[in-house]
């Protein structure tokens, strides 16, 4: 028995459980062709705003950020003030570190990451505030004990000084546990249509219920930023399945590297649909062009343009802490 089969690729807004607001600040010394100070903000790992000591302006990097700043001018004033006051603080800190560590020359970089994560399902908030120097962990705040952790002996003097400043510790806790998630929720409201974009590959009307669907990148099965759905029954006895790909971090020019693959058990060939902007169309295909047992009704691509933002990220962090910064 032949089965009517429909394969759809469409965009929708997905519900992400954990969200983040992160601020990255960097000061450099002895690094040519690079601003002495760089700061940027990221919402859900998407670049939201940027400033540096050369341009001397705070620049929103997304349309929804511009809309938010227009509606909330005090936020722009705060970011402008913080960006340029931190330039002086970081400049003084890096000079102090060089003197304390007896570093008279060479290239050096002081970096910080602070912000919060918020779980929109449980309400849990995790705050963080940490520093790195020359590509290694330097000092980090424990939000539970309101004390600083110094993995390097060179940071112990700083730890003692900052631990003694109780007002600073309480301020940090309030900012990262209360203010940060409040701001994050406001940003998510303005940016929800962009920050949570996904492409969903959906197959329906197939039988039996033994099938696989997955995303590939450059011909290899791709699991990062992919949400796999279960095989669900339809009212007519056939089945459906979906698999979502988060597009927020995928540049439009990279879409052609991705495709969606559907494989029905017992059928040798796979059905592959390219995620390629140049091939967005409705494509009616003769049943003879598809595997036996499958009659294709329609393949439709409804793709949403994703804004590609490129910038200079001179601070990156993995699960093991800081790693050397790219100064090229």
């Amino acid at each position: 028995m032949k089965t009517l089969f429909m394969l759809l690729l469409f965009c929708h807004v997905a519900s992400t459980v954990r969200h983040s607001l992160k601020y990255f600040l960097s000061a450099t010394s002895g690094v040519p062709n690079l601003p002495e100070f760089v700061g940027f903000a990221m919402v859900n790992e998407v670049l939201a705003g940027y400033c540096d000591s050369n341009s001397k302006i705070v620049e929103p990097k997304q349309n929804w950020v511009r809309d938010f700043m227009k509606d909330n001018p005090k936020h722009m004033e705060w970011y402008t003030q913080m960006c340029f006051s931190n330039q002086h603080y970081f400049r003084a800190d890096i000079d102090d570190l060089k003197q304390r560590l007896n570093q008279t020359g060479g290239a050096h970089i002081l970096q910080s990451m602070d912000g919060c994560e918020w779980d929109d399902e449980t309400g849990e908030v995790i705050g963080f505030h940490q520093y790195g120097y020359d590509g290694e962990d330097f000092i980090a705040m424990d939000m539970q004990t309101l004390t600083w952790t110094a993995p390097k002996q060179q940071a112990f003097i700083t730890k003692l000084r900052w631990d003694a400043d109780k007002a600073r510790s309480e301020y940090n806790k309030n900012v990262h546990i209360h203010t940060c998630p409040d701001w994050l929720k406001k940003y998510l409201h303005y940016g929800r249509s962009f920050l949570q974009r996904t492409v969903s590959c959906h197959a329906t009307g197939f039988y039996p219920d033994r099938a696989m669907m997955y995303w590939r990148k450059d011909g290899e099965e791709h699991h990062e930023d992919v949400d796999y759905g279960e095989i669900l029954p339809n009212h007519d006895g056939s089945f459906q399945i979906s698999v979502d790909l988060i597009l927020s971090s995928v540049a439009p020019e990279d879409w052609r590297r991705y495709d969606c693959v559907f494989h029905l058990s017992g059928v040798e060939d796979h059905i592959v649909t390219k995620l390629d902007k140049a091939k967005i169309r409705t494509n009616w295909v003769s049943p003879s062009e598809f595997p036996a047992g499958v009659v294709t009704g329609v393949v439709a691509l409804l793709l949403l343009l994703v804004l590609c933002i490129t910038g200079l990220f001179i601070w990156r962090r993995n699960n093991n802490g800081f790693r050397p910064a790219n100064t090229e």
Side-chain angles (χ1 to χ4, degrees):
M1 179 182 68
K2 291 187 176 181
T3 303
L4 179 63
F5 175 77
M6 183 179 288
L7 179 64
L8 301 171
L9 196 61
F10 59 92
C11 278
H12 67 100
V13 176
S15 177
T16 303
V17 173
R18 188 171 293 276
H19 306 275
S20 64
L21 172 59
K22 299 178 182 179
Y23 299 100
F24 299 83
L25 306 177
S26 300
T28 59
S29 175
V31 181
N33 304 318
L34 196 67
E36 289 188 349
F37 177 84
V38 171
F40 56 91
M42 299 188 74
V43 178
N44 281 8
E45 309 302 331
V46 174
L47 183 63
Y50 172 88
C51 73
D52 64 49
S53 53
N54 288 350
S55 64
K56 301 187 184 303
I57 60 172
V58 174
E59 182 181 358
K61 288 294 186 179
Q62 309 291 341
N63 288 332
W64 62 266
V65 180
R66 296 184 183 93
D67 292 339
F68 178 85
M69 294 303 179
K70 182 179 179 180
D71 295 341
N72 300 270
K74 289 186 177 180
H75 268 253
M76 177 60 84
E77 294 175 7
W78 184 88
Y79 278 112
T80 300
Q81 178 183 353
M82 292 305 296
C83 179
F84 296 109
S85 62
N86 275 311
Q87 292 185 30
H88 301 293
Y89 295 143
F90 269 60
R91 181 72 266 170
D93 287 341
I94 200 171
D95 288 342
D96 178 69
L97 282 171
K98 287 169 59 180
Q99 183 177 2
R100 188 193 310 172
L101 301 177
N102 196 27
Q103 297 172 333
T104 57
H108 302 284
I109 182 168
L110 173 65
Q111 305 165 289
S112 76
M113 181 187 75
D114 71 297
C116 60
E117 292 184 348
W118 168 63
D119 191 312
D120 65 13
E121 193 171 82
T122 66
E124 180 188 21
V125 173
I126 300 174
F128 43 85
H129 193 184
Q130 56 199 85
Y131 291 81
Y133 185 64
D134 286 349
E136 296 183 340
D137 290 331
F138 186 74
I139 193 169
M141 186 177 188
D142 186 330
M143 293 291 170
Q144 301 299 320
T145 63
L146 297 186
T147 58
W148 292 86
T149 301
K152 296 287 185 180
Q153 182 64 32
Q154 295 92 329
F156 193 68
I157 295 176
T158 303
K159 167 186 164 54
L160 294 177
R161 185 189 307 163
W162 289 0
D163 279 350
D165 192 344
K166 301 301 182 182
R168 175 186 181 137
S169 298
E170 288 294 338
Y171 172 81
N172 274 311
K173 178 181 179 181
N174 182 65
V175 167
H176 296 98
I177 301 300
H178 300 291
T179 304
C180 180
D182 288 344
W183 287 17
L184 174 57
K185 293 170 188 178
K186 293 178 181 179
Y187 300 157
L188 291 171
H189 175 73
Y190 270 76
R192 61 190 181 276
S193 63
F194 173 81
L195 293 170
Q196 301 178 56
R197 286 176 182 169
T198 65
V199 165
S200 181
C201 188
H202 180 73
T204 187
F206 61 84
Y207 183 90
D209 63 345
R210 296 186 296 275
M212 294 176 56
M213 178 176 278
Y214 53 90
W215 284 98
R216 294 190 312 190
K217 179 181 179 181
D218 298 328
E220 299 291 334
E221 192 166 344
H222 181 73
H223 301 285
E224 186 178 356
D225 294 328
V226 173
D227 184 18
Y228 296 91
E230 299 179 356
I231 296 179
L232 301 174
N234 291 321
H235 68 280
D236 60 356
S238 64
F239 297 91
Q240 60 175 290
I241 187 174
S242 297
V243 59
D244 295 346
L245 171 66
I246 299 175
L247 275 181
S248 299
S249 58
V250 180
E253 61 267 23
D254 288 336
W255 286 356
R256 64 177 63 92
R257 301 172 62 186
Y258 294 83
D259 52 48
C260 174
V261 180
F262 177 83
H263 181 215
L264 187 64
S265 178
V267 178
E268 183 177 352
D269 294 331
H270 295 39
I271 298 176
V272 179
T273 304
K274 292 286 291 183
L275 182 60
D276 191 339
K277 187 168 62 175
K279 296 182 179 180
I280 300 175
R281 59 191 174 92
T282 300
N283 183 20
W284 292 89
V285 183
S286 167
S288 62
E289 296 180 40
F290 279 85
V294 178
V295 178
T296 299
V298 64
V299 178
L301 301 181
L302 303 176
L303 301 180
L304 207 59
L305 180 63
V306 177
L307 180 63
C308 176
I309 297 295
T310 58
L312 175 64
F313 294 168
I314 62 173
W315 188 92
R316 295 298 297 268
R317 186 179 188 276
N318 56 23
N319 292 332
N320 298 319
F322 284 84
R323 63 187 182 191
N326 177 15
T327 58
E328 296 180 2

